[in-house]
């Protein structure tokens, strides 16, 4: 018998001994023999990768000896093992340079969460009931393999679907290989707030289908159209570091920051100037600024012909975008438009970016291309632009071939099921995605999932989507897993992160990549041939061979290279100021002209624009189960453990709505209720709600708390990419109840005018 499998019964403490002396045998505590050598009281720092957003920050994990409740060989007990005590930013990592946001720190709670699934589960009751029974991994893998084999034997391999959050690096490569060898279509990525519009616009304008990297430390002037670069967008830690250097890192030289948006974000709250613009008209404003720059000959109109050629009327000086006309369309004064144009043109180094709500309109691609054209104009003649793109590492699978619109792919899957198409999914695998929560109710994802014959989830928690699963194969927590990532933004050098598990698994879980590799070997044939590795770390080691060849002359040995990159947390090239390679040819695209944004709901019946926005704590709702983030006060409202609707004070006065009063927000597709917070940082004709709360099922900390604004959205899409136009829904407001009936919890030391709930749930 191996030492790690040896179980020793012992008295752990007086309390444990008392427990052992009574009750049934399955309730007795046992002491497992440690399977690692540890020095009591001495901390070890191990590299890892933050997985709580897509930025890919490098982390260090403080590991020390301690007692942990674990599952071993199907039995619960205690063991002395290395335990993760704290997360910090990795100072050597080029993306975050030693810094870490609050969401990153909360990654520790994923590991120790009391509601983590500890064993494979098989559905016993009706779907959505949450009634599951435990089974062994041997039985679980046999069942998964059996269903896959039956599907392929019946000639239905193409009816296997794999739904996952957007992935990078070797996890996506593994899934793609598995599906292709099996004969199934590519995986379906889904997250509510995808960036397909910006990626497509950047591909057309600059040749790179990626998010930009901003060298803010050198910027003297920045205009952001809707990008919450200090809060939730893109690579916020990297951008916050650069923003700090832009504002205070150069004695006697302080950059100016202008934020254009209809609802004040954290970035807007830190700006020198906050300018509200009518929703969907941000591209018009950008071209109004460009018109002034061209008309006053502040820059050459021949600059960056690739981006300029995408805008109709550019060669003529944009005659349709004079300041007076643009002012009427956008609500921004002609004087302000002219002033912004002259200020940014006079700056030694400036940049213009766009993200968020302007791209979540039906005319989002116009807004993105217009801002990109203005950015190209502003950067004319500069050898080191503020906006660039992170160089790709020498890995063939480092980036997707083309931008993918998450919502259109999910909608195609949903409609195939609901309409009983011949190739509709008969078996669905789900990894790290929760579309039943994250998609509008009008998209009918719930109804479609109810019709899929067999669903397998790799989820670590029971959420709205995994509750539909017939089989749950719980994944390791990130700190228990081999992790890798390819940074697509946030650094001016190529960055590939890789890290071994920081701690041993606490429960009877298995890493999703290892499960797929195991199943592939059981199935044999082309699937086994496509995935020949015995473990995920073996696949990673083989995939990174091209990086070893780029790591010096002569190249280090395989063992030396692998030890080095897994010890420092990854591989990165020498720093560079800008992308070196020439961008590929962009797909042909006719010049765009302005098209009015379309909104669901008439202005008469639904008088307010509705803007759901990524929560500072929970982003798209995937982090709402972490109590540290529930407890973290929102940086603008100080609210916590709750949801709210933001109104302009003038709007609230007209509707006689008091702070903290319960309000019903209704669209043509449903309604939600939330307490009101009054804010001058929002346009009077717009209301906004943070995304993240409103889960039906997602641990004891998130279930039944607040409301989900995504549920009432219209299924409108951006015209060109098919992305969800999540800012294109109109709503009406109805005053419902008394003050704080919505259970709004506000930090007492913050905005004291809001009522504070005396007892928290």
């Amino acid at each position: 018998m191996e030492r790690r499998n040896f179980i020793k019964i012992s008295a752990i403490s007086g309390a444990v001994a008392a427990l052992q002396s009574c009750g049934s045998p399955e309730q007795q505590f046992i002491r497992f023999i440690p399977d690692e050598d540890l020095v009591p009281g001495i901390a070890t720092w191990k590299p890892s990768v933050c997985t709580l957003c897509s930025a890919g920050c490098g982390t260090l994990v403080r590991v020390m000896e301690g007692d942990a409740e674990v599952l071993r060989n199907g039995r619960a007990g205690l063991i002395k093992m290395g335990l993760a005590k704290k997360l910090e930013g990795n100072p050597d990592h080029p993306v975050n340079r030693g810094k870490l946001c609050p969401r990153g720190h909360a990654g520790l709670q994923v590991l120790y969460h009391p509601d983590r699934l500890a064993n494979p589960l098989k559905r016993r009751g009706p779907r959505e009931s949450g009634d599951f029974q435990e089974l062994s991994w041997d039985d679980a893998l046999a069942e998964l393999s059996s269903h896959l084999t039956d599907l392929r034997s019946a000639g239905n391999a193409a009816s296997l679907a794999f739904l996952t959050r957007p992935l990078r690096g070797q996890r996506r490569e593994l899934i793609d290989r598995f599906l292709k060898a099996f004969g199934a279509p590519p995986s379906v990525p889904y997250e509510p707030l995808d960036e397909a519009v910006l990626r497509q616009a950047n591909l057309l304008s600059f040749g790179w289908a990626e998010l930009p990297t901003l060298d803010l430390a050198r910027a003297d002037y920045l205009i952001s159209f809707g990008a919450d670069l200090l809060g939730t967008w893109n690579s916020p830690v990297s951008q916050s570091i650069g923003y700090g250097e832009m504002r205070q890192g150069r004695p006697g030289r302080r950059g100016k920051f202008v934020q254009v948006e209809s609802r004040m974000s954290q970035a807007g709250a830190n700006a020198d100037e906050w300018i509200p613009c009518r929703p969907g008209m941000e591209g018009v404003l950008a071209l109004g600024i460009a018109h002034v720059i061209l008309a006053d000959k502040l820059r050459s109109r021949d600059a960056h012909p690739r981006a300029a050629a995408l805008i109709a009327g550019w060669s003529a000086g944009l005659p349709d975008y004079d300041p007076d006309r643009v002012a009427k369309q956008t609500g921004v004064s002609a004087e302000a438009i002219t002033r912004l144009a002259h200020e940014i043109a006079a700056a030694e180094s400036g940049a213009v970016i766009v993200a968020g709500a302007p791209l979540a309109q039906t005319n989002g691609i116009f807004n993105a291309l217009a801002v990109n054209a203005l950015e190209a104009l502003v950067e004319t003649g500069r050898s080191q632009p503020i906006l660039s793109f992170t160089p790709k590492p020498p890995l063939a699978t480092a980036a997707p071939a083309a931008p993918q619109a998450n919502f259109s792919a999910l909608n195609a899957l949903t409609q195939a099921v609901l309409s009983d198409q011949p190739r509709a999914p008969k078996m669905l695998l789900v990894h790290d995605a929760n579309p039943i929560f994250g998609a509008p109710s009008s998209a009918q994802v719930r109804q479609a999932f109810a019709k899929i014959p067999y669903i397998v989830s790799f989820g670590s928690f029971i959420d709205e989507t995994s509750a539909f699963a017939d089989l749950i194969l719980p994944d390791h927590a990130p700190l228990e897993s081999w992790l890798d990532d390819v940074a697509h933004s946030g650094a001016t050098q190529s960055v590939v992160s890789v890290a071994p598990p920081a701690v041993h698994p606490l429960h009877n879980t298995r890493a999703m990549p290892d499960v797929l590799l195991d199943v592939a070997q059981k199935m044999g044939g082309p699937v086994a041939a496509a995935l020949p590795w015995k473990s995920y770390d073996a696949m990673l080691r083989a995939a990174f061979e091209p990086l070893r060849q780029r790591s010096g002359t002569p190249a280090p040995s395989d063992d030396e290279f692998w030890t080095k990159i897994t010890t420092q947390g990854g591989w990165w090239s020498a720093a560079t100021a800008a992308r070196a390679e020439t961008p590929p040819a962009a797909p042909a695209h006719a010049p765009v002209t302005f098209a009015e944004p379309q909104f669901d709901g008439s202005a008469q019946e639904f008088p307010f624009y509705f803007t759901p926005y990524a929560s500072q704590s929970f982003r798209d709702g995937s982090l709402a189960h972490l109590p540290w983030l529930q407890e973290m006060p929102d940086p603008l409202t100080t609210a916590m453990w709750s949801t709210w609707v933001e109104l302009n004070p003038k709007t609230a006065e007209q509707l006689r709505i008091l702070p903290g009063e319960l309000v019903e927000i209704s669209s043509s597709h449903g309604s939600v209720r939330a307490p009101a917070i009054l804010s001058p940082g929002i346009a009077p004709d717009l209301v906004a709600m943070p995304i993240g709360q409103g889960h039906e099922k997602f641990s004891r900390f998130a279930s039944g708390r607040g409301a989900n604004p995504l549920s009432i959205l219209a299924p409108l899409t951006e015209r060109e990419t098919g992305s969800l136009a999540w800012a294109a829904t109109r709503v009406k407001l109805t005053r419902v109840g008394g003050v704080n009936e919505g259970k709004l919890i506000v930090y007492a030391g913050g905005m004291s005018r809001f009522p504070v709930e005396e007892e928290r749930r």
Side-chain angles (χ1 to χ4, degrees):
M1 179 180 294
E2 294 183 6
R3 183 172 182 267
R4 71 175 58 246
N5 294 327
F6 180 73
I7 301 174
K8 178 182 178 182
I9 307 296
S10 67
I12 299 168
S13 65
V16 174
L19 285 174
Q20 287 183 316
S21 65
C22 62
S24 59
E26 62 268 22
Q27 294 175 320
Q28 294 179 358
F29 275 67
I30 56 178
R31 168 74 75 176
F32 298 106
I33 295 295
D35 53 6
E36 56 186 323
D37 295 326
L38 300 164
V39 180
I42 302 299
T44 301
W45 289 92
K46 297 185 177 182
S48 191
V49 184
C50 181
T51 62
L52 273 67
C53 83
S54 59
C57 295
T59 63
L60 294 178
V61 188
R62 185 171 184 256
V63 178
M64 293 186 67
E65 182 194 66
D67 280 333
E69 294 185 18
V70 298
L71 286 174
R72 294 290 186 269
N73 302 318
R75 303 185 69 181
L78 295 188
I79 191 172
K80 282 193 178 297
M81 62 181 291
L83 298 177
K85 299 287 188 177
K86 185 176 177 58
L87 299 179
E88 294 286 355
N90 184 346
D92 297 326
H93 200 279
V95 171
N96 56 313
R97 292 181 276 169
K99 309 300 182 183
L100 199 61
C101 74
R103 294 185 296 274
H105 284 286
L108 199 65
Q109 291 199 309
V110 179
L111 177 65
Y112 298 122
H113 201 290
D115 296 330
R116 266 186 70 192
L117 299 180
N119 291 286
L121 300 176
K122 183 176 181 179
R123 181 168 64 87
R124 180 170 51 192
R127 275 189 170 165
E128 287 194 272
S129 66
D131 185 9
F132 293 92
Q133 62 183 10
E134 294 183 359
L135 72 166
S136 70
W137 272 104
D138 288 342
D139 291 342
L141 294 179
E143 178 162 333
L144 174 60
S145 300
S146 175
H147 276 82
L148 289 169
T149 301
D150 291 346
L151 197 68
R152 190 170 58 175
S153 300
N156 291 322
S159 64
L160 172 67
F162 203 125
L163 179 69
T164 177
R165 68 174 175 85
L167 295 175
R168 303 187 297 220
Q170 294 306 303
R171 271 178 169 74
R172 192 189 72 237
E173 174 71 5
L174 188 154
I175 292 171
D176 289 347
R177 282 173 173 258
F178 182 91
L179 294 174
K180 184 177 181 180
F182 186 83
S187 60
V188 177
Y190 185 74
E191 61 180 358
L193 310 178
D194 74 46
E195 299 281 3
V197 175
L198 184 54
R199 291 181 186 275
Q200 176 67 8
N202 288 346
L203 174 64
L204 296 172
S205 300
F206 307 120
W208 306 110
E210 299 168 13
L211 301 185
T213 292
L214 303 173
D215 189 3
L216 294 178
R218 294 191 302 103
D220 292 310
Y221 205 101
L222 175 68
I223 302 179
S224 165
F225 289 83
D228 186 12
L229 71 162
L230 303 181
T232 58
W233 175 69
N234 195 16
S235 189
V237 175
S238 172
Q239 289 155 183
S240 295
I241 294 171
Y243 179 75
E245 294 172 354
M246 167 188 167
R247 305 285 271 180
Q248 297 181 337
R250 302 169 296 180
R253 184 178 176 187
R254 179 180 173 89
K256 181 174 181 179
F257 176 32
V258 178
Q259 183 80 359
V260 178
E261 59 190 358
S262 298
R263 178 259 164 194
M264 183 177 286
S265 62
Q266 183 172 351
N270 284 273
D272 295 286
E273 193 170 354
W274 180 76
I275 300 177
C277 177
R278 194 164 293 130
M281 308 302 287
E282 293 85 359
V284 173
L285 178 58
L287 294 184
I289 296 172
H291 169 95
V292 175
I293 293 175
L294 293 173
D296 294 354
K297 299 182 179 180
L298 306 176
R299 287 287 190 280
S300 169
R301 73 182 57 180
D302 297 326
H304 211 301
R306 185 172 190 162
L310 295 167
I311 307 298
W314 187 277
S315 60
L318 300 171
D320 295 334
Y321 297 95
D322 65 90
D324 290 331
R325 184 181 302 184
V326 170
K328 294 178 182 178
Q329 293 176 288
T330 64
V332 180
S333 70
E335 293 77 12
I337 295 169
T338 302
R339 175 176 54 79
L340 291 175
H342 279 263
E343 286 180 353
I344 195 168
E348 183 176 334
S349 58
V352 187
I353 58 173
V354 63
L359 308 186
Q361 303 288 351
T362 58
N363 65 343
I365 198 70
F366 166 80
N367 292 329
L369 292 175
V371 173
N372 281 355
L374 175 60
E375 157 62 19
L377 182 64
V378 167
E379 293 277 19
T380 301
R382 295 186 181 130
S383 59
Q384 293 186 337
I386 302 302
L387 185 151
S388 63
F389 296 93
T390 295
K392 292 187 298 183
L395 295 174
T397 59
Q404 292 179 290
N406 294 182
F407 183 71
S408 60
L410 176 66
N411 195 49
L413 183 152
T414 299
Q415 294 307 311
V417 174
L418 294 176
S419 59
D420 296 317
Q421 295 178 13
R423 292 298 179 91
K426 292 180 172 59
M427 182 174 178
L428 175 66
L429 307 181
V430 183
H431 168 63
D432 204 10
N434 187 6
I436 292 180
F437 172 85
S441 299
S442 53
Q444 298 184 295
V445 178
R446 184 186 298 269
Q447 294 86 331
F449 276 42
K451 290 187 64 176
I452 297 175
Y454 195 74
I455 299 176
V456 179
S457 170
F458 295 98
S460 297
F461 298 87
I462 300 293
D463 59 21
E464 290 84 353
T465 298
S466 62
F468 276 77
D470 299 278
L471 183 67
I472 301 181
L473 307 175
D475 200 352
H476 284 336
L479 294 180
E480 301 167 335
S481 305
W482 277 93
L483 299 174
D484 69 295
D485 186 60
V486 178
H488 285 191
S489 181
T492 57
Q493 57 204 103
S494 300
V495 180
V496 180
S497 302
V498 62
V503 297
H504 289 285
L506 295 177
H507 305 307
N508 188 26
T509 58
R510 292 193 185 180
M512 180 276 295
D514 287 323
V515 170
L516 287 186
L517 291 172
D518 193 358
V519 169
Q521 295 306 309
K522 292 179 184 298
M523 296 185 66
V527 181
L531 299 171
W533 304 281
K534 299 296 184 183
S535 62
Y536 187 53
D537 58 302
M539 180 181 178
L540 290 173
R541 191 162 181 164
F544 290 166
E545 176 62 22
L547 302 180
R548 184 176 72 86
Q549 302 297 333
R550 300 287 189 96
S551 299
T553 305
S557 69
D558 183 63
D559 287 342
E560 290 173 340
F561 174 72
W562 188 242
T563 299
K564 178 182 178 181
I565 66 172
T566 56
T567 300
Q568 71 181 14
W571 174 94
W572 32 86
S573 63
T576 180
R579 194 163 194 150
E581 65 263 41
T582 302
H589 197 285
V592 297
T593 57
F594 171 68
E596 287 283 347
Q598 302 299 309
F599 294 90
D600 181 84
S602 67
Q604 292 74 27
E605 184 179 0
F606 301 99
F608 299 101
Y609 300 107
F610 184 54
T611 300
Y613 62 91
S615 164
Q616 196 66 255
S617 298
F618 317 128
R619 299 189 71 247
D620 58 4
S622 58
L623 308 180
H625 61 311
L626 303 180
W628 282 357
L629 298 182
Q630 288 279 1
E631 187 72 14
M632 185 175 76
D634 179 78
L636 296 185
T637 66
T638 75
M640 51 191 178
W641 291 97
S642 51
T643 191
W644 60 89
V645 57
E646 295 176 22
L647 313 175
N648 186 281
K650 294 180 180 178
T651 302
E653 184 178 3
Q654 292 173 356
L655 299 177
R656 298 185 177 181
I657 296 173
L658 299 175
E661 196 165 29
L662 192 62
V663 176
E664 184 170 85
I665 307 97
S666 303
S667 73
S668 57
H669 300 278
S671 62
V672 293
R673 293 184 175 187
I677 279 186
L678 311 189
S679 169
I682 189 169
D685 58 351
L686 183 139
V687 298
M689 284 185 68
I691 302 168
Q693 303 282 28
H695 283 276
E696 301 168 30
K697 299 180 179 70
F698 197 25
S699 86
R700 69 190 69 183
F701 303 111
S703 299
R705 184 179 301 282
N708 179 14
L710 297 174
S711 65
I712 66 171
L713 296 183
L716 292 180
T717 58
E718 196 279 323
R719 296 186 181 102
E720 183 164 321
T721 63
S723 290
L724 177 65
W726 48 262
T729 301
R730 300 186 71 101
V731 297
K732 61 183 177 182
L733 302 179
T734 306
R735 179 173 173 267
V736 174
V739 171
N740 208 33
E741 288 190 18
K743 303 299 182 185
L744 177 67
I745 302 173
V746 179
Y747 176 53
M751 304 176 74
S752 59
R753 66 178 181 274
F754 298 127
V756 180
E757 187 181 38
E758 294 180 359
E759 295 184 2
R760 299 176 186 164
R761 285 189 289 171

